[in-house]
């Protein structure tokens, strides 16, 4: 072997080592960026949560000053912190009694003497907003919500030419919008490959391609109708609301009742959240607002399954069109509470088949929602997801992972605390919301 050959071999070996080292360094820096993005996301969530807690505390202080009886009856359960909720749930669990005293009430029957005199406009039956007007208003709200991710994407995609670093920024931005690591990587890989094949780096074209790929991931031809709205629905059609503490189950139950009432259906609400009297009171306030009867127990800690049984029996006897059963918030890692959901379902099914179990996920929860969804799906079986509080979050990319992993469609989105702030999930509006 002459000197030239030896030099050639050494050069090749040095280049190979340099490539390997560069690869390892690039991988590490990529991991660092993802970690930093995750950290930034967590910080933002913590800041948003702190701000929300502050607002809730201020609201509670204002409420207690007012001290009105009606105010006390309509205190939303979500006004207590998740930790408090979980604690009260656990306390009630130990004192739980099977002998419940169930009181079917109607909006007229349910008013107590003092709450009758102090009944505010809030609990008076209101006329539902028309579907068209509601959709226009909700779309405008979604379009106006400040979306840092959409702006970040816009800034990247507004460049003349996309560099490797820009592609990575696109991926990071999708990650921060909670699109999920796998989906974000897949999207950017596909876009980059397409760009290589077609030779185009035109940001406008890339943006359009990203939109259609996101739309395909979210699914444009999925059947997102509520089962109660399908021709084969049972009568009464039973819907059970489930989810962790404070996600918006009771609020969504109330808004949903209103949607059915607006469609001319007779609705009944079942307060199977028996851990706190305030929860049944909150549902009763919604019942009065949307003018539907509420079946509840007057006893704190009564067996939720027995309330569900009573509610389903009454809905059956009265031939209601829809029965919506609200359940207590529970953390997905509390096995006994998750088992209780199965019992609520089984007991209800002694009277009526259950058409729908809606998991209410808080859009601001991020990828943790995925873990919740899996456990709830296992415990009771879910047929649809409601993504609540989308008005307070530009994220909601969790939609993609939930649908992909559980095969369950997102059917509704919550866009505020008002009675008409619930809308069918619309993939186009949702994707445009992320890209806006
Ligand atoms: N901004 C906004 N707030 C919402 C939405 N849905 C519910 N909320 C608020 O979230 C808080 C909690 O809502 P609840 O309906 O009490 O939640 P929950 O899941 O029934 O609570 P627990 O029974 O304690 O588990 C309340 O202050 C609601 O007004 C929404 O779509 N947008």
């Amino acid at each position: 072997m002459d000197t030239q050959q030896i030099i050639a071999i050494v050069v090749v070996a040095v280049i190979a080592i340099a490539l390997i080292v560069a690869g390892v360094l690039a991988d590490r820096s990529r991991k660092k960026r993802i970690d930093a993005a995750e950290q930034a996301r967590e910080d933002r969530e913590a800041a948003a949560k702190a701000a929300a807690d502050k607002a809730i505390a201020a609201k509670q202080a204002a409420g207690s000053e007012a001290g009105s009886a009606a105010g006390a009856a309509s205190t939303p359960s979500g006004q207590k912190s998740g930790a408090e909720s979980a604690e009260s749930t656990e306390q009630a669990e130990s004192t739980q009694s099977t002998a419940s005293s169930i009181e079917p009430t109607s909006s007229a029957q349910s008013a107590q003497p003092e709450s009758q005199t102090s009944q505010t406009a809030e609990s008076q039956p209101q006329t539902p907003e028309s579907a068209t007007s509601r959709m226009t208003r909700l779309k405008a709200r979604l379009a106006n919500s400040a979306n840092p991710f959409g702006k970040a994407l816009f800034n990247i995609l507004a460049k003349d030419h996309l560099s490797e670093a820009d592609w990575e920024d696109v991926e990071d931005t999708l990650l921060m919008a909670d699109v999920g690591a796998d989906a974000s990587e897949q999207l950017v890989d596909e876009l980059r490959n397409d760009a290589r094949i077609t030779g185009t780096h035109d940001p406008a074209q890339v943006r359009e391609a990203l939109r259609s790929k996101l739309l395909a991931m979210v699914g444009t031809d999925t059947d997102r109708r509520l089962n109660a709205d399908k021709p084969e629905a049972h009568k009464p059609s039973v819907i059970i609301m489930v989810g962790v503490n404070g996600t918006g189950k009771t609020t969504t139950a109330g808004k949903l009742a209103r949607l059915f009432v607006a469609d001319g259906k007779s609705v009944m609400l079942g307060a199977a959240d028996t851990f706190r009297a305030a929860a049944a009171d909150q549902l009763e306030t919604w019942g009065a607002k949307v003018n539907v009867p509420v079946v509840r127990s007057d006893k704190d800690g009564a067996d939720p399954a027995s309330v569900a049984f009573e509610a389903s029996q009454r809905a059956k006897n009265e031939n209601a069109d829809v029965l919506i059963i609200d359940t207590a918030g529970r953390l997905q890692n509390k096995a006994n509470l998750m088992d209780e959901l199965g019992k609520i379902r089984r007991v209800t099914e002694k009277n009526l088949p259950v058409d729908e179990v809606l998991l209410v996920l808080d859009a601001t929860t991020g990828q943790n929602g995925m873990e919740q969804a899996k456990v709830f799906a296992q415990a009771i079986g879910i047929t649809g997801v409601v993504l609540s509080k989308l008005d307070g979050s530009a994220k909601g990319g969790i939609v993609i992972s939930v649908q992909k992993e559980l095969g369950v469609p997102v059917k509704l989105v919550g866009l505020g605390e008002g009675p008409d702030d619930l809308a069918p999930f619309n993939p186009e509006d949702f994707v445009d919301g992320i890209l806006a």
Side-chain angles (χ1 to χ4, degrees):
M1 202 182 289
D2 62 21
T3 322
Q4 274 187 339
Q5 278 175 321
I6 293 171
I7 291 173
I9 290 169
V10 169
V11 168
V12 169
V14 168
I15 291 174
I17 291 168
L19 284 175
I20 291 167
V21 169
V24 169
L25 289 177
D27 218 39
R28 276 198 196 151
S29 100
R30 183 179 152 71
K31 193 168 176 308
K32 263 191 197 156
R33 279 187 308 101
I34 292 179
D35 287 348
E38 279 296 302
Q39 186 58 47
R41 184 175 68 80
E42 279 167 19
D43 290 349
R44 256 194 310 279
E45 275 178 10
K49 197 166 179 304
D53 286 348
K54 216 171 145 191
I56 286 167
K59 213 168 152 189
Q60 275 175 337
S64 64
E65 268 169 36
S68 82
S74 63
T75 300
S77 64
Q79 287 186 354
K80 62 188 174 47
S81 73
E84 279 171 344
S85 275
E87 201 179 280
S88 63
T89 300
E90 278 183 4
Q91 279 168 0
E93 214 190 331
S94 58
T95 57
Q96 199 176 349
S97 134
T98 47
S100 67
S101 151
I102 315 292
E103 279 189 359
T105 60
S106 71
S107 54
Q109 289 166 327
S110 64
Q112 300 299 316
E114 42 307 28
S115 59
Q116 259 173 356
T117 50
S118 61
Q119 205 170 31
T120 57
E122 196 194 324
S123 57
Q124 300 285 350
Q126 300 160 2
T127 317
E129 185 178 0
S130 79
T132 328
S133 142
R134 193 175 58 236
M135 289 307 294
T136 314
R137 191 172 52 78
L138 295 179
K139 261 187 186 178
R141 181 176 298 180
L142 204 57
N144 286 339
S145 65
N147 180 353
F149 309 115
K151 284 197 184 80
L153 277 174
F154 182 82
N155 287 340
I156 302 164
L157 297 178
K159 295 184 178 176
D160 288 340
H161 188 88
L162 295 177
S163 66
E164 207 42 38
D166 292 331
W167 285 114
E168 284 174 359
D169 286 346
V170 171
E171 186 174 338
D172 290 349
T173 311
L174 290 172
L175 269 176
M176 285 190 285
D178 269 332
V179 170
D182 290 349
S184 302
E185 191 174 346
Q186 186 192 331
L187 272 169
V188 170
D189 283 351
E190 284 180 18
L191 288 170
R192 199 168 20 195
N193 280 341
D194 291 356
R196 273 189 199 128
I197 293 165
T198 59
T200 176
H201 288 271
D202 175 14
Q205 282 182 23
V206 173
R207 190 175 189 283
E208 199 40 49
L210 174 58
R211 183 179 187 274
S212 50
K213 282 184 195 301
L214 270 172
L215 262 180
M217 275 187 166
V218 173
T220 44
D221 47 10
T222 312
D223 185 357
R224 298 181 192 275
R225 284 173 304 166
L226 288 167
N227 293 339
D229 285 331
K230 295 182 182 170
E232 65 272 22
H234 296 96
K235 183 173 160 65
S237 189
V238 179
I239 302 174
I240 303 181
M241 314 294 301
V242 300
V244 303
N245 310 78
T247 53
K249 293 173 293 298
T250 307
T251 309
T252 306
K255 293 178 193 172
L256 200 51
R258 185 165 166 95
L259 280 184
F260 286 124
V261 168
D263 276 353
K265 293 189 168 151
S266 64
V267 186
M268 196 173 282
L269 287 164
D273 180 352
T274 56
F275 292 130
R276 293 174 304 109
D281 291 346
Q282 186 191 351
L283 196 70
E284 216 163 10
T285 304
W286 272 104
K289 236 187 239 182
V290 301
N291 206 18
V292 306
V294 179
V295 178
R296 64 171 291 180
S297 166
D298 61 353
K299 214 165 152 234
D300 244 1
D303 183 1
S306 70
V307 179
F309 182 83
E310 199 66 34
S312 49
Q313 197 159 56
R314 191 173 159 210
K316 187 177 177 180
N317 291 345
E318 297 186 14
N319 203 22
D321 290 316
V322 185
L323 167 66
I324 304 171
I325 299 177
D326 184 27
T327 64
R330 61 202 72 222
L331 296 176
Q332 74 274 12
N333 57 4
K334 301 278 176 197
N336 50 344
L337 295 180
M338 295 307 291
D339 291 347
E340 185 190 84
L341 277 184
K343 183 177 168 199
I344 291 175
R345 179 178 189 137
R346 285 192 301 280
V347 166
T348 304
E349 282 175 339
K350 289 188 177 163
N351 287 322
L352 294 168
V354 172
D355 278 320
E356 187 104 71
V357 179
L358 289 176
L359 171 69
V360 183
L361 277 183
D362 180 335
T364 61
T365 311
Q367 290 292 321
N368 283 344
M370 201 47 237
E371 195 46 40
Q372 294 168 20
K374 279 188 201 155
V375 183
F376 277 94
Q378 232 171 20
I380 186 169
I382 53 178
T383 57
V385 171
V386 180
L387 199 61
S388 65
K389 310 187 190 181
L390 203 55
D391 52 313
S393 167
K395 305 207 273 176
I398 181 80
V399 164
I400 293 171
S401 341
V402 168
Q403 294 190 152
K404 198 168 161 202
E405 289 204 32
L406 299 181
V408 171
V410 175
K411 296 193 169 184
L412 297 162
V413 289
L415 291 162
E417 298 182 76
D420 291 311
D421 293 337
L422 185 70
F425 177 77
N426 179 309
E428 277 89 6
D429 289 349
F430 176 75
V431 169
D432 289 341
I434 290 185
L435 296 178

